[in-house]
């Protein structure tokens, strides 16, 4: 297994390099870069002097000469050839130096850290609710396949799956956020304005109360996929020969289900656990965050793309690509941990 892990880690290097190279190349041809945006901002100030961080670069009626444009490009690092800028960027990224944001005027690391609490709150709560709900529900649906409970729950979760998360968010606001009916749940932010003055229990309650509507909106759509995956996985195992043999030996249904079927049927669900868990820390939802006024990774990604904030776009892409590759490796390794029939040694010998 060690040689397999080593090969996978070595394979991550060209994958990461390729992702960064393609993205960096695309950014060179996208119109409206940071220099162009600042030039447009300067021209919109017809009467005064605009400072771009290196002194007065623009005096309204005097225009903007080529020397000042060169200063502006140097300020953003665009005075160097693209190849040199890419190599320099990758050297800095390898030491996790992602530079400073053009738009927010702070380091990319501190900016991401400031946005993570919102994304982690939404992601982790959604992750645990989905797994803790869908696994037992999917098992029961498999056991009662075709019965009234299975038909009813399938209809409910499929309706939830068909409703977009942002539409459900708006409906919840109208119903429970003071829109037209009941004002039960708060609508803005992760906590209340007076959160710092509350007691510990009041802080926990206030935080959980703020999370109810956003978590419901971001979770409902995922319930159908995981529930049906669990149900189909268990149904496939229930009809196999070893289950029939176990019943013939007189084993109870509960023992067959939880001692034999469970450990085989749960493999497809558990193997996706590492990747989903890691992704829940960093995944943001633009629409959910916008509707509930939550300043998280979704809004940061959108603002960075719209404002051509390349240090944030490329820096977060570098970090999240590494996280994604590691999560994929952990998912593969989890197969071995939950299923002893799988061995990477046999795969390596066949090669």
């Amino acid at each position: 297994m060690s040689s397999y892990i080593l090969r996978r880690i070595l394979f991550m290097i060209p994958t990461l390099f390729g992702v960064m190279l393609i993205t960096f190349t695309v950014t060179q041809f996208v119109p409206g870069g940071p220099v162009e945006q600042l030039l447009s901002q300067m021209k919109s100030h017809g009467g005064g002097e605009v400072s771009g961080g290196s002194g007065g670069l623009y005096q309204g009626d005097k225009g903007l000469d080529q020397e000042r444009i060169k200063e502006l490009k140097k300020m953003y690092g665009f005075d160097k050839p693209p190849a040199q800028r890419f190599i320099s960027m990758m050297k800095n990224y390898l030491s996790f130096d992602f530079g400073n944001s053009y738009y927010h005027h702070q380091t990319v690391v501190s900016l991401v850290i400031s946005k993570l609490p919102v994304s982690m709150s939404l992601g982790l709560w959604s992750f645990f609710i989905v797994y803790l709900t869908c696994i037992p529900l999917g098992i029961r649906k498999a056991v009662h396949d075709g019965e009234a409970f299975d038909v009813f729950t399938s209809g409910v979760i499929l309706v939830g799956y068909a409703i977009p998360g942002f539409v459900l968010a708006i409906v919840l606001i109208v119903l429970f956020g003071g829109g037209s009916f009941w004002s039960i749940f708060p609508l803005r932010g992760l906590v209340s304005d007076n959160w710092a003055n509350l007691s510990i229990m009041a802080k926990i309650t206030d935080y959980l109360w703020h999370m109810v509507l956003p978590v419901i909106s971001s979770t409902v759509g995922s319930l159908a996929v995981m529930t049906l995956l669990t149900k189909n996985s268990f149904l496939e195992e229930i009809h196999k020969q070893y289950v029939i043999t176990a019943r013939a030996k007189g084993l109870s249904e509960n023992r067959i289900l939880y001692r034999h079927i469970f450990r085989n049927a749960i493999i497809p669900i558990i193997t996706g656990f590492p990747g989903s868990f890691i992704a829940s820390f960093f995944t943001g939802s633009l629409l959910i965050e916008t509707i509930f006024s939550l300043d998280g990774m979704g809004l940061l990604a959108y603002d960075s793309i719209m404002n051509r904030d390349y240090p944030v776009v490329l820096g977060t892409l570098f970090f999240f690509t590494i996280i994604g590759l590691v999560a994929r490796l952990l998912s593969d390794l989890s197969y071995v941990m939950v299923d002893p029939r799988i061995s990477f040694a046999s795969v390596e010998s066949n090669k």
Side-chain angles (χ1 to χ4, degrees):
M1 183 187 296
S2 58
S3 59
Y4 172 81
I5 296 175
L6 179 60
R7 284 204 308 270
R8 286 292 301 270
I9 294 175
L10 293 176
F11 182 72
M12 292 179 185
I13 297 175
T15 302
L16 177 63
F17 183 85
V19 169
M20 296 304 301
L21 179 60
I22 293 173
T23 308
F24 180 84
T25 304
V26 170
T27 60
Q28 306 308 301
F29 298 99
V30 175
V35 175
E36 289 81 0
Q37 290 203 4
L38 188 53
L39 287 174
S40 176
Q41 179 186 354
M42 290 176 175
K43 292 177 182 178
S44 67
H45 292 73
E49 180 178 297
V50 178
S51 175
S54 60
L57 297 178
Y58 176 68
Q59 292 83 20
D61 56 352
K62 294 182 180 179
L64 197 66
D65 57 33
Q66 291 299 317
E67 289 299 323
R68 297 185 184 276
I69 293 178
K70 288 181 180 180
E71 290 181 35
L72 191 59
K73 289 184 177 180
K74 184 177 181 180
M75 182 179 71
Y76 285 111
F78 288 99
D79 57 325
K80 301 175 183 178
Q84 184 179 347
R85 285 190 283 117
F86 178 76
I87 294 173
S88 177
M89 180 190 74
M90 293 301 295
K91 287 181 179 179
N92 292 333
Y93 283 5
L94 291 176
S95 60
F96 292 97
D97 178 11
F98 301 116
N100 297 319
S101 167
Y102 296 154
Y103 183 72
H104 297 276
H105 306 295
Q106 63 183 104
T107 64
V108 174
V109 173
S110 62
L111 183 61
V112 171
I113 291 175
S114 68
K115 308 296 183 182
L116 278 181
V118 170
S119 298
M120 289 175 61
S121 295
L122 285 174
L124 288 176
W125 280 115
S126 300
F127 171 81
F128 285 116
I129 289 174
V130 166
Y131 271 84
L132 293 177
T133 301
C134 294
I135 292 178
L137 179 60
I139 293 174
R140 187 172 181 186
K141 286 174 62 63
V143 173
H144 299 280
D145 181 41
E147 298 180 8
F149 173 81
D150 178 42
V151 175
F152 174 75
T153 53
S154 294
V156 171
I157 62 175
L158 288 176
V159 169
Y161 179 75
I163 300 176
F166 71 93
V167 174
L168 178 60
I170 295 173
V171 172
L172 292 176
I173 288 175
V174 172
L175 292 177
F176 304 109
S180 300
F181 295 90
W182 303 281
S183 180
I184 300 176
F185 298 101
L187 299 180
R188 298 180 62 85
L190 203 59
V191 293
S192 299
D193 295 335
N194 64 334
W195 188 80
N197 301 323
L198 301 176
S199 64
I200 295 179
M201 288 303 301
K203 286 181 178 180
I204 296 174
T205 302
D206 181 75
Y207 164 74
L208 294 176
W209 210 239
H210 278 76
M211 282 289 97
V212 172
L213 297 186
V215 169
I216 291 176
S217 303
S218 59
T219 300
V220 169
S222 303
L223 293 176
V225 177
M226 186 59 64
T227 300
L228 294 179
L229 174 63
T230 304
K231 175 190 174 182
N232 293 334
S233 180
F234 274 79
L235 277 179
E236 183 179 354
E237 295 295 325
I238 286 174
H239 296 97
K240 287 187 175 180
Q241 184 62 42
Y242 73 89
V243 177
I244 300 175
T245 303
R247 286 175 178 154
K249 290 181 178 180
L251 297 180
S252 65
E253 289 296 326
N254 283 338
R255 185 170 183 180
I256 294 173
L257 179 62
Y258 294 106
R259 290 289 299 274
H260 299 279
I261 297 175
F262 185 86
R263 63 183 182 182
N264 293 321
I266 204 67
I267 291 175
I269 294 93
I270 294 299
T271 51
F273 187 95
S276 300
F277 181 75
I278 293 176
S280 65
F281 282 87
F282 308 105
T283 303
S285 174
L286 171 62
L287 293 175
I288 298 299
E289 291 177 13
T290 301
I291 292 172
F292 292 101
S293 300
L294 298 172
D295 190 9
M297 293 300 298
L299 279 175
L300 175 62
Y302 175 77
D303 289 340
S304 300
I305 294 172
M306 296 303 296
N307 293 303
R308 305 298 191 266
D309 199 349
Y310 294 149
V312 177
V313 173
L314 295 171
T316 54
L317 177 66
F318 179 85
F319 179 71
F320 293 154
T321 301
I322 292 177
I323 294 297
L325 292 172
V326 172
R328 184 61 182 268
L329 175 60
L330 292 177
S331 297
D332 292 343
L333 295 178
S334 64
Y335 274 101
V336 178
M337 297 176 62
V338 300
D339 190 354
R341 296 172 297 179
I342 297 177
S343 174
F344 289 124
S346 59
V347 176
E348 294 169 1
S349 62
N350 291 334
K351 294 181 180 180

